[in-house]
């Protein structure tokens, strides 16, 4: 037998062996598939806690808003000393937010208003978030998609001042989301008190800020925050309480300037969102009082 024939026979034998090995593998695979008993992964629907069921019913299904209350280092500033809320504090706080914020806007703006124009997530953090300046960051609105609420563990649902402080965060931050969706006239608004805005707003007391034509000290930081603070103070106070704040301002020009800002705010809500902010103010005050009474 010549060398060429020997090579051909070896090649043929090798091919036959390879085919046999492949056939064994295929048969083995088929046998394993026939005996497959299911995934080793747990694909069952996780059992919801009472809190998770409440969130799914009252936030996810009702308003398309998810609530994040468990620790997730990817959604918080890891350079701050932050921690998740105590779980037993979460539902009482969410019930207050639902009653005062969600129910009020739904009653005045329509049942789908918040569902269509809302953050997709609420992130709850347990304690305070301190800035290097010594000020406290009460909340954040991130790109219109998420509102972060700090101080969840510090909410006292029986204390109106405490509830008002906490709800002021969401009223302020939600205003930012409305403004990000439909902008207000920043140039026209900014012409009312143009010389009094300052990055050092925290060096001014609320009383002094009002004598300069601002509803709060933080309102002096810039036009956008000024607008949100006007909305905030109108909604965390009844109409009587709000007017009393304005009437207590000594400087006549300052009072007039705040009223000019109020007109722009009311016009924005009316023309852009078909909402009477004074009606919203009344409903929010009523719902706040109902929370206190309960």
């Amino acid at each position: 037998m010549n060398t060429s024939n020997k090579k051909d026979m070896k090649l043929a034998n090798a091919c036959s062996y390879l085919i046999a090995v492949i056939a064994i593998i295929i048969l083995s695979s088929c046998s394993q598939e026939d005996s497959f008993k299911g995934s080793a992964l747990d694909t069952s629907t996780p059992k919801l806690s009472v809190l998770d069921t409440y969130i799914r019913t009252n936030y996810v299904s009702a308003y398309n808003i998810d609530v994040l209350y468990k620790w997730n280092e990817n959604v918080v500033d890891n350079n701050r000393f932050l921690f998740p809320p105590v779980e037993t504090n979460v539902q009482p706080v969410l019930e207050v937010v639902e009653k005062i914020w969600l129910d009020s806007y739904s009653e005045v703006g329509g049942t789908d208003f918040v569902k269509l124009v809302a953050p997709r997530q609420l992130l709850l953090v347990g304690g305070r978030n301190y800035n290097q300046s010594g000020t406290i960051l009460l909340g954040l609105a991130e790109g219109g998609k998420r509102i972060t609420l700090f101080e969840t563990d510090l909410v006292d649902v029986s204390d109106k001042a405490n509830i008002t402080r906490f709800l002021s965060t969401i009223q302020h931050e939600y205003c930012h989301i409305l403004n990000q969706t439909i902008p207000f006239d920043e140039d026209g608004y900014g012409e009312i008190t143009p010389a009094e805005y300052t990055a050092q707003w925290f060096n001014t007391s609320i009383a002094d800020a009002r004598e300069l034509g601002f509803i709060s000290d933080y309102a002096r930081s810039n036009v956008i925050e000024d607008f949100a603070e006007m909305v905030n103070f109108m909604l965390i106070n009844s109409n009587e309480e709000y007017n009393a704040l304005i009437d207590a301002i000594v400087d006549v020009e300052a009072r007039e300037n705040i009223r000019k800002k109020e007109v722009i705010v009311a016009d924005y809500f009316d023309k852009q969102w078909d909402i009477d902010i004074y009606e919203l103010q009344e409903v929010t005050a009523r719902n706040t009082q109902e929370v206190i009474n309960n």
Side-chain angles (χ1 to χ4, degrees):
M1 184 180 293
N2 60 33
T3 303
S4 176
N5 289 337
K6 289 181 179 180
K7 288 182 178 179
D8 290 343
M9 289 183 66
K10 288 181 178 179
L11 181 60
N13 290 335
C15 289
S16 297
Y17 175 77
L18 181 60
I19 291 171
V21 170
I22 292 173
I24 291 171
I25 292 173
I26 292 174
L27 289 172
S28 175
S29 298
C30 291
S31 176
Q32 289 178 6
E33 287 179 1
D34 291 341
S35 62
F36 179 68
K37 301 300 182 182
S39 173
L41 300 175
D42 183 4
T43 58
S44 61
T45 302
K47 186 177 180 179
L48 296 178
S49 66
V50 173
L51 174 57
D52 291 329
T53 300
Y54 167 80
I55 291 172
R56 178 166 293 188
T57 301
N58 295 69
Y59 278 81
V60 179
S61 298
Y63 296 103
N64 196 25
I65 299 173
D66 194 13
V67 178
L68 309 179
Y69 65 91
K70 297 179 181 178
W71 186 249
N72 184 342
E73 62 182 10
N74 296 315
V75 294
V76 294
D77 185 350
N78 291 295
N79 294 316
R80 304 289 183 100
F81 182 69
L82 303 175
F83 51 86
V86 175
E87 192 165 316
T88 53
N89 293 335
V90 173
Q91 185 165 331
V93 166
L94 290 178
E95 289 173 349
V96 170
V97 171
E98 180 184 1
K99 179 69 174 178
I100 298 176
W101 172 48
L102 294 172
D103 288 356
S104 299
Y105 266 98
S106 296
E107 181 175 337
V108 180
T111 54
D112 289 335
F113 185 87
V114 180
K115 192 169 187 176
L116 295 174
V117 186
R120 297 282 67 93
Q121 293 178 328
L122 283 182
L123 171 61
L124 303 182
V125 176
R128 291 194 170 103
N129 188 356
Y130 289 95
N131 297 313
Q132 290 184 347
S133 63
T135 58
I136 298 173
L137 185 62
L138 297 177
L140 292 170
E142 301 172 65
K145 297 179 180 179
R146 179 192 303 137
I147 289 180
T148 301
L149 298 174
F150 303 99
E151 302 189 14
T152 301
D153 287 342
L154 303 179
V155 175
D156 181 353
V157 297
S158 65
D159 186 321
K160 183 177 180 180
N162 184 281
I163 289 176
T164 297
R165 173 183 167 85
F166 185 76
L167 264 295
S168 70
T169 301
I170 203 161
Q171 299 291 10
H172 179 106
E173 299 302 333
Y174 187 54
C175 179
H176 285 322
I177 289 177
L178 295 177
N179 294 161
Q180 289 162 8
T181 306
I182 302 179
F184 68 97
D185 180 10
E186 292 182 32
D187 291 337
Y189 191 97
E191 290 176 357
I192 299 174
T193 51
E196 301 298 342
Y197 291 106
T198 174
Q200 304 299 312
W201 60 269
F202 45 83
N203 290 327
T204 307
S205 68
I206 292 180
D208 288 343
R210 287 176 181 161
E211 296 298 333
L212 294 172
F214 296 87
I215 196 65
S216 74
D217 49 354
Y218 187 49
R220 294 193 67 199
S221 58
N222 58 58
V223 172
I224 293 173
E225 301 300 343
D226 189 2
F227 188 95
E229 280 292 86
M230 282 295 300
V231 173
N232 170 31
F233 272 81
M234 290 182 73
L235 296 182
I236 63 173
N237 292 285
S238 67
N239 188 256
E240 294 77 12
E241 292 168 339
Y242 170 77
N243 285 326
L245 294 178
I246 309 303
D247 292 341
I249 298 172
V250 176
D251 188 278
V252 175
E253 184 179 2
R255 285 202 309 269
E256 291 176 349
N257 284 337
I258 291 180
R259 292 297 187 185
K260 289 178 183 177
K261 294 175 182 180
E262 179 186 326
V263 169
I264 294 178
V265 167
D267 187 67
Y268 168 80
F269 271 79
D270 179 39
K271 292 182 178 178
Q272 303 300 339
W273 299 109
D274 194 26
I275 284 181
D276 182 340
I277 196 168
Y278 299 105
E279 181 185 357
L280 181 60
Q281 184 182 49
E282 179 183 347
V283 172
T284 302
R286 184 197 71 211
N287 287 342
T288 300
Q289 194 58 48
E290 289 181 8
V291 168
I292 302 301
N293 291 342
N294 291 333

